[in-house]
Amino acid sequence: MDTFERVEERPHPEGARTVADLVAAAQGSERITYRRTAEPQNPSRYYSAKQMGDYVYVPDFLNRPDTLDQPRPKRKTFHHKSVDSIGPIRIQFRDYGNRRLAPFYSGWSSSMYLVSDALLNVLRRFDPDGFESALPRLSDADGEEMHGYTVVMPTRVIDAVDIMRTTVVVERHTRAPEIGPSYTLVRYESGPDFRDDVVAPTFVEEYRPGWYWRLEIVRAVVHAGIRGLYFAHPYKRGAANEIRLPAEGDVRHPNDW
């Protein structure tokens, strides 16, 4: 475990506006906490799309490549690797018994999602340029061909966090070349809040996993009658801050839409 030369709280650097500005200010091996100076927005304009907990199994990605070869959007520290670069994607649904298929699946420890046709139609209507897609070879547990889903990878990456409404922790790990490369980690205490000038329909945050959708898209998903997924508030924690769209037969809560 690395030993940091400095672990401290600091005021925001003069002129800093983005998390990248805070990362650039780190020197040597140090952990810096930048405390928020304003309250986050509630409700948020963006929610991250999630696989509903009632659908706990992820379809098997039979020919998933190794981590370094998996598709990914372009970030500051990673080059873009397209969905098409890995060739045909083979996905097999396990035997769900009485479980139903959901419209949205995340998993495989990757940047890709499995999205139903109906949900994809909503995304294309609001944000046709925000993701790449590929038709997978789908099969059921018996190997029979299936249809109705597309593999999607969001490609719009934004350094979107409002550093005045979010507590940002920057960890700079400086190492000698013979030990390994130097790198920086960023985390947001209690989650991020986003800048008011971020207006994209959907995006991936530069320093945090997840795919964020504007609230209008969430409402359109509800209007289209698509159920069986939920949306997590980026800052607050707990069921009261989630938007759940339970399908028929799912466990319901008072705050479900």
Side-chain angles (χ1 to χ4, degrees):
M1 185 174 182
D2 289 349
T3 300
F4 293 103
E5 296 171 5
R6 288 179 289 183
V7 181
E8 60 183 48
E9 294 188 11
R10 293 185 200 163
H12 296 86
E14 184 176 354
R17 183 170 175 270
T18 67
V19 176
D21 294 331
L22 303 183
V23 170
Q27 299 177 1
S29 292
E30 56 183 0
R31 180 189 294 137
I32 314 161
T33 298
Y34 296 98
R35 294 288 174 193
R36 62 181 174 88
T37 58
E39 290 295 317
Q41 301 176 92
N42 190 21
S44 175
R45 295 176 298 122
Y46 289 93
Y47 284 74
S48 58
K50 300 287 186 180
Q51 179 182 329
M52 181 81 96
D54 295 342
Y55 303 84
V56 295
Y57 299 114
V58 176
D60 287 327
F61 188 170
L62 298 181
N63 59 335
R64 179 178 68 176
D66 293 336
T67 300
L68 293 179
D69 294 325
Q70 290 188 23
R72 57 180 176 265
K74 184 182 185 305
R75 295 178 183 266
K76 293 189 186 324
T77 54
F78 294 101
H79 295 294
H80 170 251
K81 191 172 182 63
S82 71
V83 170
D84 291 335
S85 67
I86 62 174
I89 298 171
R90 295 173 51 224
I91 294 174
Q92 184 174 36
F93 282 84
R94 301 169 182 158
D95 185 356
Y96 276 68
N98 292 325
R99 290 184 181 272
R100 290 140 294 131
L101 299 179
F104 183 88
Y105 290 97
S106 57
W108 313 315
S109 298
S110 75
S111 299
M112 296 183 291
Y113 301 85
L114 192 63
V115 176
S116 72
D117 289 350
L119 186 56
L120 184 61
N121 287 339
V122 175
L123 289 171
R124 281 179 170 157
R125 179 153 47 94
F126 280 85
D127 193 15
D129 301 321
F131 54 88
E132 297 176 2
S133 61
L135 281 176
R137 296 178 180 175
L138 292 173
S139 61
D140 63 18
D142 297 323
E144 295 294 324
E145 186 177 10
M146 293 177 58
H147 301 279
Y149 287 89
T150 298
V151 170
V152 168
M153 182 183 75
T155 53
R156 184 185 296 110
V157 181
I158 303 176
D159 185 349
V161 168
D162 187 324
I163 62 174
M164 297 304 173
R165 296 195 298 233
T166 305
T167 296
V168 182
V169 180
V170 177
E171 293 183 0
R172 176 63 180 166
H173 298 254
T174 303
R175 294 174 172 176
E178 63 271 16
I179 297 176
S182 299
Y183 62 96
T184 303
L185 300 177
V186 175
R187 60 185 173 86
Y188 307 126
E189 288 190 0
S190 301
D193 197 18
F194 300 127
R195 299 195 315 271
D196 293 335
D197 64 344
V198 175
V199 295
T202 73
F203 68 91
V204 175
E205 210 285 311
E206 181 70 58
Y207 298 97
R208 179 184 175 93
W211 188 11
Y212 292 95
W213 300 5
R214 211 162 55 196
L215 190 56
E216 299 95 288
I217 301 179
V218 178
R219 293 192 178 106
V221 170
V222 176
H223 182 74
I226 301 169
R227 318 298 287 182
L229 69 162
Y230 82 94
F231 299 90
H233 190 290
Y235 194 91
K236 296 292 185 178
R237 295 291 182 265
N241 299 291
E242 296 171 354
I243 298 173
R244 299 177 81 256
L245 310 180
E248 190 64 33
D250 288 344
V251 175
R252 293 177 178 268
H253 302 280
N255 295 301
D256 290 351
W257 280 30

